[in-house]
Amino acid sequence: MLFWETLGWMLWATVFIGYLFALSAIIGDLFRDRGLSGWWKAVWVVFLIFLPFLTVLVYLIARGQGMAERSSRAAREAEDATASYIRQVAGKTPTEEIAAAEALRDAGSISAQEFEVLKAKALA
């Protein structure tokens, strides 16, 4: 008997944890959706509180496609922001560094030997 009770509790715990994941995804999607007014967001949240399982199912059926699109768009925007930050912090490419050093050499600011050192450093 103890085995079946434990198995039943584990099943319900799994269902509850899955529900919590769905609930957090839905609440995140509600506040990410700019096309939905504040009143509709409040209505969804109230229904999530008073009729939780039914509301989760209805939300996933009614707004699941838009939820996937908003999630994908948010992931793309985060990836683009990360790539932009990395490009900004990384500095110049080796080609740009060599061109800058060449411009300094042509202007007479550095010697040919210093140019070769900078070129080697950029290519390393």
Side-chain angles (χ1 to χ4, degrees), residues 3 8 11 13 19 27 30 36 39 46 48 50 56 60-61 63 69 76-77 86 89 95 106 110 121:
F3 172 75
L11 173 70
Y19 166 73
I27 290 174
L30 275 173
L36 197 61
W39 287 105
V46 166
L48 281 170
F50 292 110
V56 167
L60 292 176
I61 291 168
R63 298 179 47 88
E69 291 169 1
R76 263 193 318 269
E77 288 172 358
I86 290 171
V89 172
T95 305
D106 292 344
I110 60 173
K121 189 176 178 182

Side-chain angles (χ1 to χ4, degrees), residues 24-26 28-34 59-60 63-79:
S24 66
I26 288 171
D29 182 62
L30 275 173
F31 291 103
R32 187 181 305 127
D33 187 4
R34 296 171 195 254
Y59 189 90
L60 292 176
R63 298 179 47 88
Q65 182 67 31
M67 188 175 177
E69 291 169 1
R70 283 184 292 279
S71 178
S72 175
R73 185 174 56 237
R76 263 193 318 269
E77 288 172 358
E79 185 178 338

Side-chain angles (χ1 to χ4, degrees), residues 7-27:
L7 194 60
W9 277 105
M10 288 173 37
L11 173 70
W12 282 111
T14 303
V15 168
F16 183 69
I17 290 171
Y19 166 73
L20 290 178
F21 275 111
L23 185 66
S24 66
I26 288 171
I27 290 174

